[in-house]
Amino acid sequence: MTHASPHRAPHGHLHSAPHPARDPDGQAEILDLDAEVLAEHLAAVTAGLPVERSPRRIVDLGCGTGAGTFALLTRFPEAEVAAVDASPSHLDRLRAKAEALGVADRVRPVPADLDGDWPALGRPDLVWASASLHHLADPDRALRTVHELLVPGGLFAVVELAGFPRFLPADAPAERPGLEDRCHGALTHQHAERLPHRGADWGPKLTAAGFAVESERTIAVDVAGADNAGVGRYAMSSLKRLRGNAAHALAADDLAALDQLLDPESPLSILRRDDLAVRTERTVWAARRV
């Protein structure tokens, strides 16, 4: 988990991004940092899944660079994962990580646009979709398809983000208190238009697709920068991407303050702050095919 929230690509692609060597919007880097910084959180999510027996066949829908895939492989050491994504570069990164971790024989990268024809994914015991369903043009169709794929009694885990993480205290920076909230506010309308399913309540949708929802839990994320060396880099990459999307709607003074935070040479750089944290929420639905 899936993460800073991935963006929607043309034609409904999930997690689409340029080649890793050219990652101008920092999407792949953010996904990698999300996996690094929130590793313990993600492990707790997978540990809490109400599986009836250890799954052998898992599908990760919208896998990105592999945060969920590798968490699931760790949680279920006898399982194999079909990792599905529309971005070849993200799948390349995932493949390289699998080789480095010695689990390449347990990962099958699958390129696919899930708004189009679905690839052959077999009959999984567990399907995982973290921060990915809201990128689809027709997520209800995807839910029905997953219901057909799963073996009877199989589990579908859906993870949804509350939004882009926050990193700064509410009164920061001193020159423009509340800057981060205004940056998020500048994107509200844009997200409503481009990602109408973001933040959806997936419970009723899962029930409508034929699932029995067994659990729904919201998990708070609060990782202090003092406890994790990756938080500063995660904040820098995330706020750079946020700036790219929100700059058109920010006041000049806000934009100037944000640029100071993003300048690694500035004395006001976000990398020099000792009060950073990653704060967000994730909701996890566990639904069973009965």
Side-chain angles (χ1 to χ4, degrees):
M1 154 167 54
T2 164
H3 134 92
S5 179
H7 70 287
R8 173 142 184 190
H11 311 303
H13 286 194
L14 291 180
H15 300 296
S16 182
H19 189 276
R22 309 184 308 275
D23 187 23
D25 66 355
Q27 177 66 11
E29 181 182 19
I30 289 172
L31 291 174
D32 286 346
L33 285 167
D34 183 270
E36 175 187 341
V37 173
L38 302 182
E40 291 186 8
H41 163 73
L42 192 53
V45 172
T46 58
L49 295 177
V51 294
E52 294 182 341
R53 59 186 180 276
S54 185
R56 295 297 188 95
R57 299 172 302 278
I58 300 174
V59 172
D60 182 0
L61 296 177
C63 61
T65 60
T69 293
F70 297 114
L72 291 163
L73 287 173
T74 300
R75 170 70 175 86
F76 304 111
E78 296 182 350
E80 297 180 356
V81 177
V84 185
D85 204 281
S87 168
S89 66
H90 287 188
L91 292 177
D92 285 345
R93 285 178 182 253
L94 183 147
R95 188 178 290 107
K97 290 180 187 178
E99 292 174 355
L101 292 170
V103 294
D105 60 331
R106 297 173 57 204
V107 180
R108 178 167 67 97
V110 181
D113 174 1
L114 297 180
D115 273 331
D117 294 331
W118 282 43
L121 296 172
R123 298 283 286 168
D125 309 296
L126 170 65
V127 175
W128 167 276
S130 177
S132 58
L133 291 179
H134 66 246
H135 290 269
L136 296 174
D138 187 359
D140 292 326
R141 169 181 173 260
L143 298 183
R144 294 191 298 270
T145 303
V146 171
H147 188 270
E148 294 172 2
L149 283 177
L150 277 167
V151 299
L155 195 70
F156 187 18
V158 176
V159 184
E160 184 63 271
L161 307 177
F164 206 75
R166 259 74 168 177
F167 300 96
L168 294 166
D171 60 353
E175 301 78 16
R176 299 290 293 173
L179 171 62
E180 195 170 24
D181 282 342
R182 290 191 295 279
C183 289
H184 284 255
L187 296 180
T188 299
H189 180 68
Q190 182 183 126
H191 284 160
E193 287 188 339
R194 294 179 57 228
L195 298 170
H197 303 291
R198 185 177 184 181
D201 181 357
W202 294 103
K205 292 179 177 293
L206 287 161
T207 300
F211 288 96
V213 178
E214 293 195 353
S215 66
E216 175 185 341
R217 56 196 177 112
T218 298
I219 304 170
V221 177
D222 192 348
V223 180
D227 299 329
N228 192 307
V231 169
R233 291 179 286 119
Y234 188 26
M236 176 68 80
S237 294
S238 298
L239 290 177
K240 278 183 178 178
R241 189 159 182 266
L242 187 63
R243 184 202 187 284
N245 291 326
H248 68 284
L250 291 177
D253 288 345
D254 278 345
L255 195 57
L258 184 56
D259 286 341
Q260 286 285 336
L261 288 170
L262 297 177
D263 180 0
E265 303 301 322
S266 169
L268 301 177
S269 170
I270 200 167
L271 296 176
R272 299 176 187 272
R273 301 188 68 98
D274 60 5
D275 56 358
L276 296 178
V278 182
R279 295 182 300 276
T280 187
E281 289 184 344
R282 290 182 178 178
T283 302
V284 184
W285 291 264
R288 194 171 304 281
R289 177 181 174 176
V290 292

